[in-house]
Amino acid sequence: MRVNKLTIAALAVVAGLSLTACQNDDTAGTGRSDSSSSSKGSHSGGSAQDTAKDSAGNDSGEGQDTAAGTGSAKNGATGKCRTDELEVTAQDGTIGGDEDNTVAVTFTNGGGRDCSIAGFAGVDLKTNAGTVSAERSGEPAPATVLKDGESVSFSVSYPANDTGGSGVRVTGLVVTPPNETKSVTLDWPGAASLPVTDGSGTPVRVGPIGSAGQGS
């Protein structure tokens, strides 16, 4: 009888040890699962880094394409003269006996490259009565290639104030190169005033590039 009790007790101890071992195996399995999950997170971060590298590579390629396009454009026709490349000056060009007075405006190319200029500049006279815009003379306006350091002039003609009155006092000259929007403001070098008009039109005319000294 005592032998049976010992046998039962021994079986109970073995069963307990077996149960503990099973529990330890389950815990170890859970640890491996957590480790696997963490490893996947690291790969996700690596993919983000790869994506960033690809994006940077694409941006660099686009920049090179743009630069190549700019270089190709330089192989074409001579570019137009820009306001920032031109030195703009004005002087009185009136010659005795002329029907109208004249101011000669000169563009000097200081841009370090040859450029093309053609047509009519925009010309506005600032006066004590407001702005007077010059009208184009209607002469032909061929293109001119202005080499670096070279100059070209055009004429601004206006009637002399022979009325005996004070007329319209001119305070400044605003010049905009052809096909540009940026203007340059100069001191007015011509006669101090314009005759008062009836308002039917502007008395100021601008000649094409290269017209200085040719009249209007």
Side-chain angles (χ1 to χ4, degrees), residues 9-23:
L11 291 174
V13 170
V14 171
L17 290 174
S18 298
L19 180 60
T20 301
C22 291
Q23 290 176 346

Side-chain angles (χ1 to χ4, degrees), residues 2-202:
R2 182 176 179 183
V3 172
N4 290 339
K5 289 182 179 180
L6 289 175
T7 300
I8 293 172
L11 291 174
V13 170
V14 171
L17 290 174
S18 298
L19 180 60
T20 301
C22 291
Q23 290 176 346
N24 287 339
D25 288 341
D26 291 341
T27 302
T30 302
R32 284 194 297 270
S33 176
D34 291 342
S35 174
S36 175
S37 175
S38 175
S39 177
K40 289 180 181 179
S42 298
H43 285 303
S44 175
S47 298
Q49 291 173 356
D50 293 340
T51 302
K53 289 179 182 179
D54 291 341
S55 176
N58 290 334
D59 290 341
S60 176
E62 290 173 0
Q64 291 174 356
D65 291 340
T66 301
T70 302
S72 299
K74 292 181 180 179
N75 295 328
T78 302
K80 71 176 182 178
C81 297
R82 309 304 299 259
T83 302
D84 290 337
E85 298 176 313
L86 299 172
E87 179 185 355
V88 188
T89 56
Q91 62 181 11
D92 187 6
T94 301
I95 299 175
D98 285 352
E99 180 180 352
D100 289 327
N101 291 344
T102 302
V103 164
V105 178
T106 301
F107 292 138
T108 301
N109 181 9
R113 67 178 181 96
D114 297 351
C115 62
S116 177
I117 190 167
F120 294 81
V123 172
D124 296 301
L125 272 59
K126 299 170 67 175
T127 77
N128 62 335
T131 299
V132 176
S133 297
E135 290 185 354
R136 297 177 178 182
S137 65
E139 298 173 68
T144 298
V145 174
L146 195 60
K147 294 185 179 299
D148 185 37
E150 290 187 346
S151 301
V152 67
S153 302
F154 66 92
S155 62
V156 179
S157 61
Y158 60 98
N161 181 17
D162 297 327
T163 63
S166 59
V168 178
R169 183 168 55 87
V170 183
T171 60
L173 173 65
V174 181
V175 178
T176 308
N179 302 310
E180 282 287 273
T181 57
K182 186 175 182 178
S183 303
V184 176
T185 301
L186 307 170
D187 293 334
W188 172 248
S193 63
L194 304 174
V196 176
T197 65
D198 59 6
S200 59
T202 176

